[in-house]
Amino acid sequence: MLNEKDIRIIEILMNDARTPYTRIADELGVTEAAIRKRVKNLEEKGIIKKYTIEVDHSKLGYGIVSQTGIDTEPDKFLEVANKLKDFDFVKSIHITSGDHMIMAEIWAKDGEELTEIISKKIGGLEGVRRICPAIVLERVK
Amino acid sequence: MLNEKDIRIIEILMNDARTPYTRIADELGVTEAAIRKRVKNLEEKGIIKKYTIEVDHSKLGYGIVSQTGIDTEPDKFLEVANKLKDFDFVKSIHITSGDHMIMAEIWAKDGEELTEIISKKIGGLEGVRRICPAIVLERVK
Amino acid sequence: MLNEKDIRIIEILMNDARTPYTRIADELGVTEAAIRKRVKNLEEKGIIKKYTIEVDHSKLGYGIVSQTGIDTEPDKFLEVANKLKDFDFVKSIHITSGDHMIMAEIWAKDGEELTEIISKKIGGLEGVRRICPAIVLERVK
Amino acid sequence: MLNEKDIRIIEILMNDARTPYTRIADELGVTEAAIRKRVKNLEEKGIIKKYTIEVDHSKLGYGIVSQTGIDTEPDKFLEVANKLKDFDFVKSIHITSGDHMIMAEIWAKDGEELTEIISKKIGGLEGVRRICPAIVLERVK
Amino acid sequence: MLNEKDIRIIEILMNDARTPYTRIADELGVTEAAIRKRVKNLEEKGIIKKYTIEVDHSKLGYGIVSQTGIDTEPDKFLEVANKLKDFDFVKSIHITSGDHMIMAEIWAKDGEELTEIISKKIGGLEGVRRICPAIVLERVK
Amino acid sequence: MLNEKDIRIIEILMNDARTPYTRIADELGVTEAAIRKRVKNLEEKGIIKKYTIEVDHSKLGYGIVSQTGIDTEPDKFLEVANKLKDFDFVKSIHITSGDHMIMAEIWAKDGEELTEIISKKIGGLEGVRRICPAIVLERVK
Amino acid sequence: MLNEKDIRIIEILMNDARTPYTRIADELGVTEAAIRKRVKNLEEKGIIKKYTIEVDHSKLGYGIVSQTGIDTEPDKFLEVANKLKDFDFVKSIHITSGDHMIMAEIWAKDGEELTEIISKKIGGLEGVRRICPAIVLERVK
Amino acid sequence: MLNEKDIRIIEILMNDARTPYTRIADELGVTEAAIRKRVKNLEEKGIIKKYTIEVDHSKLGYGIVSQTGIDTEPDKFLEVANKLKDFDFVKSIHITSGDHMIMAEIWAKDGEELTEIISKKIGGLEGVRRICPAIVLERVK
């Protein structure tokens, strides 16, 4: 199990993955080497899966972000979910117990591009039945 | 406007935010100093908003992740959305045009903790009308 | 009852309200005075309610058009519908037998402005229970 | 960008597209020629798309107006939307992110004609899955 | 228990309540007195509840018939259902296990009168939360 | 148009279709012959469509009455509605603008018979997509 | 962890909790004492929670079983769920992530009793907003 | 009909099917033989259908219990319901008048196994259209 130091390290890195180990070490009152070891351990156990960046989609020219529910024939949804992975405009895919088995985050330049993506790209995948885009108006957290 | 080099840098950093600039420089056929300058520019313009890590919630002891729709009295939803920000168990909050104005990602140890969070923590906020948790069964991308 | 000539006049004017009467007269094989008399009659009977223009909202700086369903306490919906009339951002209001008793077309600069309109302006009207925006992605006709 | 004079001209013309330029010129304190130039500019930029009339459908003998949601196979909805354009009884078509991808305004003489339109005309288009008519009870704005 | 003769009598009377007993007697091969006795028995047991007429609502000037779902606060629905009985425009009321606990058939002159009925009459009853009118387009049986 | 006397006659007959004309004549202060003439007129104009009886379904051995929504392929619903007419267990059929295009009242002995009717009889009609039974718990009016 | 013998014992007891240990012992090729010890262990660990009987509700005079969704004010649903426990007509209660936070199985004599239970008993609990009964037509397993 | 003693016996056995008859006899003030006779009678009439055990699914390694709505082609649902009976992971199946004709309780190790069950096992049955899992967060009664 994780102890409190590990959890604090994770919180710090989620907030800024570039925080120098020396500063984390100072805060936790341990050596930089101890931090390095703990982070390495978190990476090896797969608790830290990835270092990444968050970007501002509208400044990148994507005017519309859609949380898109996708309904499929029931025996096709894993297949569809896997095919969606290859589209660059699909930023994340979750299988959920909610109104739609597949929830995908899609970025598009504008309404017309989103219409194209839905009708031509996703709508064209075998087994897709219905596509329900919910437009993100604002991200609060 | 961004040129193709900037877009490639963003893709590389989204995939691994720790990629050394020298390696990016090699791939793009420019100097490390050029990469450093471009990244600085992307940060200053707010296109890169944050360096962060992705963690495996189940390995952290969170057995349940819920994409949670939250309905409120119509003049309270921004207020509720802002109060949700302070809860540690709320990992993201979107305002959408979909079935629920507020969509929040919530992490809980198990079904009982999620029940507690919904009834005591979120349910207790003034103006909250209905809470609809969709359990994430699997993350595909 | 309307005869065929009246109906053709209406079609022509719906398509271009500025079509010169002489041209309509030519097409229908009657005098310009006859057209003038018929149009006057259509106006007096209230069949032609208004001469207006259609504008391109995005070129006017409105990036988002929302077909907005508004649910109210049942004895308040006519009152709410009447108050909505005074908002400039509300372009049309229908009472329908569908999922929402009130359907209003709303124009906003972007997602944040729409969020403001929903939470502060419409959400603040007494008796409003729920607001369901459907974003217009494209107008086909 | 538009300045305040342009916006005022648009408002006046939306309210009555036949307002004489001399009266607009008076209100704005400029010459008639200046108004003419500005309107021409608004037309050329495509901001003013069309001069048209609003008619009273019930006085035209159409007893029923329906805001009709139309669901299609996902890769067929643009095709269906385009075919709907050719029907005279379809007065407008929007692609939206709401409960139905296609929303069409339909005019019919009575319930039986609407039933015919739905089952024979629209229901017969390839790819149409479900048709959900919401009857307009009253237009408020 | 009913025997076959009783069931046939009921069918005949449902189809035309004025069928002379002599004609029923002929069809069933019994005396008119036997029919009279059986009908009396069916009335006394409450199997035949009422003799009534079916009318053509549109010819009576009611342009709109609505199958109206009515949602109430859960402890008020029997009270609301009972109050609805007193309205002349309410032609039948069922308590169901479906989307709406109360389903009421309402007759109105036109859309505006239905709007009035919903907002002023039914909407004004204490405990009514939501009113969902489904317009009858055609009666097939 | 109908006058007040006609409307009162209709009300009396809806309440009890067997009310003797002499009694109606007394109430309205006219002769029996006048009533006879007016009723004949109401029948000829098709305002009175049918004389019928209301029966108690549970006393007839039908333990379950279901207001049944039936969804079909859009171009099949008139065909399906017409086929439903031939089933004895279907007591009425409406085409509506509500959640389901076809609403049919069905009588069954018990849950198992209703299950049979839905899966074997109605479910077997070509073009039927979905069947949504709402069980009538009580009839109030 | 459980081994295969434990799992087989559980299956046998779920099917018939009165199966003699000697017969289970024979099937598993162990002594009766070994079975007794294993069952005791399963009871002590809380894996076997209860020995109970399944009864035929209709033969007990309960004509209607309803899987009842209950919506409450969000901060009241645990309280409501706990109060429901005290009603004899409530046979089970689950908290779920589905359309309704509370799902309760209710037994009633007939539709009228269910109507009473919903409006007077459950509808009267503080915080209950909406009650959605789904009638069980048949139990297949 | 059952008398009060029978009903009390049923209650005692539902609570603990292993209660010795001597103890029941004491409580009811009758002989053990009388209890034995009554229980035998309840079994023979099919009122007591089965003696069984309730188990703790999470202690058995099933982390997820889902109340799963299953929609099928209307003429296939009895067939599908019957095929579901053969799956070990399906613990109960009801045919209901609610949102889904088939409601099945499913046990799975975790979200991934449930995803597999839905897409491969249930999704693969002929006639299955849509599968809507509602995750049980807690069992209250």
Side-chain angles (χ1 to χ4, degrees), chain C residues 15-28:
Chain C
N15 207 39
D16 181 0
R18 306 189 123 191
T19 316
Y21 289 172
T22 50
R23 203 188 303 159
I24 307 179
D26 279 359
E27 190 189 317
L28 271 66

Side-chain angles (χ1 to χ4, degrees), chain A:
Chain A
M1 270 305 292
L2 298 180
N3 69 8
E4 281 182 32
K5 284 203 170 60
D6 293 315
I7 286 168
R8 186 64 196 128
I9 290 170
I10 287 166
E11 284 175 356
I12 291 170
L13 293 179
M14 284 183 87
N15 206 40
D16 180 0
R18 307 189 122 191
T19 316
Y21 289 174
T22 50
R23 205 188 303 158
I24 308 179
D26 279 1
E27 191 191 315
L28 270 68
V30 298
T31 63
E32 193 196 335
I35 298 298
R36 190 166 309 274
K37 198 176 144 194
R38 280 181 185 275
V39 170
K40 192 167 182 119
N41 183 39
L42 291 168
E43 289 171 13
E44 282 168 1
K45 283 189 177 148
I47 294 172
I48 294 176
K49 292 195 298 183
K50 195 180 182 177
Y51 290 81
T52 186
I53 53 173
E54 269 181 36
V55 299
D56 182 323
H57 59 82
S58 68
K59 287 183 182 158
L60 273 169
Y62 293 98
I64 282 196
V65 170
S66 163
Q67 301 283 7
T68 318
I70 298 168
D71 296 339
T72 69
E73 289 166 35
D75 57 343
K76 291 280 167 54
F77 78 84
L78 274 184
E79 208 176 301
V80 169
N82 281 320
K83 280 182 192 158
L84 289 171
K85 280 164 71 175
D86 296 337
F87 289 127
D88 279 345
F89 52 77
V90 174
K91 300 302 174 187
S92 73
I93 307 169
H94 291 88
I95 308 294
T96 81
S97 75
D99 291 336
H100 309 288
M101 289 296 293
I102 301 178
M103 286 295 305
E105 186 174 312
I106 292 176
W107 291 14
K109 293 231 165 55
D110 50 27
E112 276 182 54
E113 193 182 271
L114 183 57
T115 303
E116 283 283 310
I117 285 172
I118 290 172
S119 68
K120 303 267 166 74
K121 301 290 174 56
I122 302 182
L125 296 179
E126 207 206 317
V128 169
R129 280 243 182 91
R130 210 181 162 203
I131 303 168
C132 303
I135 309 304
V136 174
L137 302 176
E138 209 179 331
R139 178 163 191 171
V140 178
K141 186 176 181 173

Side-chain angles (χ1 to χ4, degrees), chain G residues 37-52:
Chain G
K37 199 176 145 192
R38 279 181 186 275
V39 170
K40 192 166 183 125
N41 183 39
L42 290 168
E43 289 171 13
E44 281 168 2
K45 280 188 178 150
I47 292 171
I48 293 176
K49 291 196 299 182
K50 199 179 179 176
Y51 290 81
T52 185

Side-chain angles (χ1 to χ4, degrees), chain C residues 11 15 20-21 24 28 30-31 40 42 47-48 51 60-61 76 88 93-94 107 109 126 135:
Chain C
E11 283 175 357
N15 207 39
Y21 289 172
I24 307 179
L28 271 66
V30 299
T31 63
K40 193 168 182 123
L42 290 168
I47 293 171
I48 293 177
Y51 291 81
L60 274 169
K76 293 280 167 53
D88 279 345
I93 306 170
H94 291 89
W107 290 14
K109 295 229 165 57
E126 207 204 318
I135 308 305

Side-chain angles (χ1 to χ4, degrees), chain E residues 3 8 27 66 91 114:
Chain E
N3 69 9
R8 186 65 195 127
E27 189 190 317
S66 163
K91 299 303 173 188
L114 183 57

Side-chain angles (χ1 to χ4, degrees), chain B residues 54-123:
Chain B
E54 270 180 36
V55 298
D56 182 322
H57 59 81
S58 67
K59 288 183 181 158
L60 273 169
Y62 293 98
I64 282 195
V65 169
S66 163
Q67 300 285 7
T68 318
I70 298 168
D71 295 339
T72 69
E73 291 166 33
D75 57 343
K76 292 280 166 54
F77 79 85
L78 272 184
E79 209 177 301
V80 168
N82 281 319
K83 280 182 192 157
L84 288 172
K85 281 164 70 174
D86 297 337
F87 289 127
D88 279 346
F89 52 77
V90 176
K91 300 303 173 188
S92 73
I93 306 169
H94 290 89
I95 308 294
T96 81
S97 76
D99 292 336
H100 309 287
M101 291 295 293
I102 301 177
M103 286 297 303
E105 185 175 312
I106 293 177
W107 290 13
K109 294 227 166 59
D110 51 27
E112 277 183 53
E113 193 182 272
L114 183 58
T115 303
E116 281 285 311
I117 285 172
I118 289 173
S119 68
K120 303 266 167 75
K121 300 289 172 57
I122 301 182

Side-chain angles (χ1 to χ4, degrees), chain C residues 74-75 77-78 95-98 101, chain D residues 64 134-138, chain E residues 61-70 89-91 104-124 131-137, chain F residues 97:
Chain C
D75 57 343
F77 79 85
L78 273 183
I95 309 293
T96 83
S97 75
M101 290 294 293
Chain D
I64 281 196
I135 308 305
V136 174
L137 302 177
E138 209 179 331
Chain E
Y62 294 98
I64 281 195
V65 170
S66 163
Q67 301 284 8
T68 319
I70 298 169
F89 52 76
V90 175
K91 299 303 173 188
E105 185 174 312
I106 292 177
W107 290 13
K109 294 229 165 57
D110 51 26
E112 276 182 52
E113 193 182 91
L114 183 57
T115 303
E116 282 284 310
I117 285 172
I118 289 172
S119 68
K120 303 266 167 74
K121 300 291 173 55
I122 301 182
I131 302 168
C132 302
I135 308 305
V136 173
L137 301 176
Chain F
S97 75

